[in-house]
Amino acid sequence: MTNEHHHEPQNIILFPGVVKRLVEEGMDELKQKNGQKALQLFSQAETYEPTSAQARFGVVLSLIELNRQEEAVEKTKALLNEGIGDYYETLQVHVSLLVQLSRYEEVVHLLETVLSENRLPSEHAETFYELLHFSRQMSSSQAYDASLLDEEHKKETELELRAGLHATNEPAKWKALQTVKQLNVKALLKDVRELAADENAKALMRTYALVLLHDWNDRLPIVIKKEERSMEVQPAELPIPGERDIDKAIRQALEEQLEQEDPVLLQMARQLHHTYLLITYPFLPDPPNPKAWACAFHLVAAEQLGLETDEEDMVDCYGCKRFDVLCASNEIEALEKDILLESQDQNQWFHT
């Protein structure tokens, strides 16, 4: 690899504005996704003016465009050490690169140091707390424990977990919610309530938040909207999903039909039912006919397993109306994609 562009030119008189022009041309090339050409232009500008923050940062952006993250992170490290450019903007890019490279231990150490200095601008705080939270979860030796809630660390830990609860990254949000439950951080009750009511959050996560509020005996009303349904609830008064009368009746009906006949099909139908009720909680199945719902879960599970079924015979076996089974099956199938996705993840997140 040549290092020619790092040698300062000798006895060269620059035309006024040449560095600015090179940076502008470099940005134009970046916009066109021409990473290699942009890198040449920014590197040339850096050679002429080594302290140019725009030129130096342009090199970083070009390396990222070229998927050369290892080199880019060394450049951002140098910018931070030399104090060139906006420190916090550079730090954000540097930390993001470390996360991409799975260097989570470095992120935790670096951000803990920065945050301990209590000089973080408010506009950057949420992003850095979110990155710290995610990196701590991904780092094998930096998991949360009760010591992070002592007087010395309590404020920072709560800020970090709050950022996690409001994160756009789904795994980070899940981990934050689990950690809040694990450490019993009731100071974040308001944030958990916001998550439970957030129509844009995943339904299963909102159920987890609602059950946590139940565990915390939260008696303040909260409006829950899912799909076309809406209801006001007091979390403390809600029965736990899976423990409602209709949930138990659906399980019992499935077991009566399948426990001896086909245990594999029973397990699949149970899984569909379990995930369905977690996605739709706190709303009750409609129509409120447990045998019709059991029949519907049986039918959909059989279809998933590629088994042939006689719908009329099954309706007779369960002793329910075909119309009710059809309504239930339609609702299950409307949520089928979400149910299957959540079924793959739910053992990581939620047990009832």
Side-chain angles (χ1 to χ4, degrees):
M1 182 183 292
T2 178
N3 291 318
E4 286 180 11
H5 61 268
H6 291 300
H7 295 302
E8 288 206 37
Q10 301 296 318
N11 302 319
I12 291 180
I13 299 174
L14 296 180
F15 291 108
V18 67
V19 171
K20 180 182 177 184
R21 180 176 57 79
L22 287 169
V23 166
E24 288 173 351
E25 289 179 8
M27 291 304 299
D28 288 339
E29 295 294 340
L30 263 187
K31 289 174 185 174
Q32 300 298 319
K33 304 293 184 182
N34 298 328
Q36 191 60 50
K37 180 63 176 175
L39 179 60
Q40 292 172 359
L41 291 162
F42 286 125
S43 296
Q44 188 177 355
E46 180 189 351
T47 302
Y48 291 143
E49 192 178 322
T51 59
S52 167
Q54 289 180 308
R56 298 277 293 273
F57 203 70
V59 169
V60 171
L61 295 176
S62 302
L63 290 170
I64 293 172
E65 175 66 29
L66 294 167
N67 291 316
R68 289 160 61 176
Q69 279 83 359
E70 292 280 3
E71 294 171 70
V73 82
E74 291 305 312
K75 298 291 186 183
T76 50
K77 183 178 180 180
L79 285 170
L80 292 171
N81 289 338
E82 294 172 40
I84 293 175
D86 184 297
Y87 178 83
Y88 291 103
E89 287 184 5
T90 304
L91 180 63
Q92 186 169 327
V93 174
H94 181 68
V95 170
S96 297
L97 285 166
L98 289 175
V99 168
Q100 288 179 46
L101 295 167
S102 302
R103 287 159 62 173
Y104 304 114
E105 300 272 357
E106 288 181 57
V107 174
V108 173
H109 177 73
L110 177 58
L111 289 184
E112 282 183 342
T113 302
V114 171
L115 295 172
S116 69
E117 295 170 356
N118 293 319
R119 56 188 181 90
L120 190 63
S122 58
E123 66 267 24
H124 293 291
E126 186 174 342
T127 298
F128 285 125
Y129 277 118
E130 182 178 330
L131 287 166
L132 175 57
H133 165 72
F134 179 72
S135 299
R136 194 193 299 281
Q137 292 295 345
M138 297 302 292
S139 169
S140 58
S141 66
Q142 296 286 350
Y144 288 95
D145 58 50
S147 68
L148 289 172
L149 289 176
D150 61 23
E151 287 308 311
E152 183 182 352
H153 304 100
K154 186 176 181 180
K155 182 181 177 183
E156 286 74 16
T157 301
E158 288 175 1
L159 284 169
E160 187 181 326
L161 289 172
R162 177 173 287 119
L165 289 175
H166 296 281
T168 53
N169 180 290
E170 291 289 349
K173 193 189 289 278
W174 264 123
K175 289 287 189 180
L177 189 56
Q178 286 185 303
T179 304
V180 168
K181 177 180 171 64
Q182 175 195 337
L183 298 181
N184 201 32
V185 189
K186 290 187 179 179
L188 298 180
L189 183 142
K190 178 175 176 289
D191 301 274
V192 175
R193 284 176 59 85
E194 287 177 8
L195 177 53
D198 183 2
E199 294 179 59
N200 294 316
K202 293 181 77 170
L204 188 61
M205 197 183 319
R206 295 177 64 195
T207 295
Y208 193 111
L210 202 51
V211 172
L212 178 55
L213 294 172
H214 168 90
D215 294 345
W216 284 350
N217 200 33
D218 178 20
R219 296 186 177 278
L220 287 177
I222 182 172
V223 176
I224 303 295
K225 295 180 181 179
K226 288 186 177 181
E227 299 298 326
E228 302 299 319
R229 296 193 280 184
S230 174
M231 67 188 295
E232 184 178 271
V233 301
Q234 289 182 319
E237 302 300 322
L238 284 172
I240 296 297
E243 295 302 313
R244 301 172 299 185
D245 289 343
I246 193 168
D247 300 337
K248 294 176 182 177
I250 291 171
R251 282 201 303 269
Q252 184 179 345
L254 283 168
E255 287 164 7
E256 287 173 357
Q257 291 294 329
L258 293 170
E259 197 158 29
Q260 301 300 324
E261 179 186 327
D262 193 334
V264 174
L265 180 55
L266 173 60
Q267 183 58 31
M268 181 66 172
R270 275 175 173 166
Q271 184 84 349
L272 285 171
H273 168 228
H274 181 70
T275 311
Y276 172 84
L277 71 88
L278 291 178
I279 287 175
T280 56
Y281 181 81
F283 300 96
L284 292 168
D286 184 27
N289 182 336
K291 290 190 175 181
W293 279 93
C295 184
F297 284 116
H298 184 156
L299 281 167
V300 175
E303 184 181 328
Q304 290 294 329
L305 292 172
L307 303 176
E308 290 187 10
T309 56
D310 185 323
E311 187 177 311
E312 287 188 19
D313 185 43
M314 284 180 60
V315 167
D316 289 340
C317 285
Y318 280 93
C320 52
K321 296 178 181 177
R322 186 173 180 275
F323 178 77
D324 287 349
V325 174
L326 185 63
C327 290
S329 298
N330 286 342
E331 187 169 342
I332 295 167
E333 287 169 358
L335 292 174
E336 192 170 358
K337 182 179 178 183
D338 288 336
I339 290 174
L340 290 172
L341 286 173
E342 298 293 6
S343 292
Q344 295 167 14
D345 291 341
Q346 73 174 353
N347 290 333
Q348 298 178 47
W349 312 121
F350 205 105
H351 298 282
T352 60

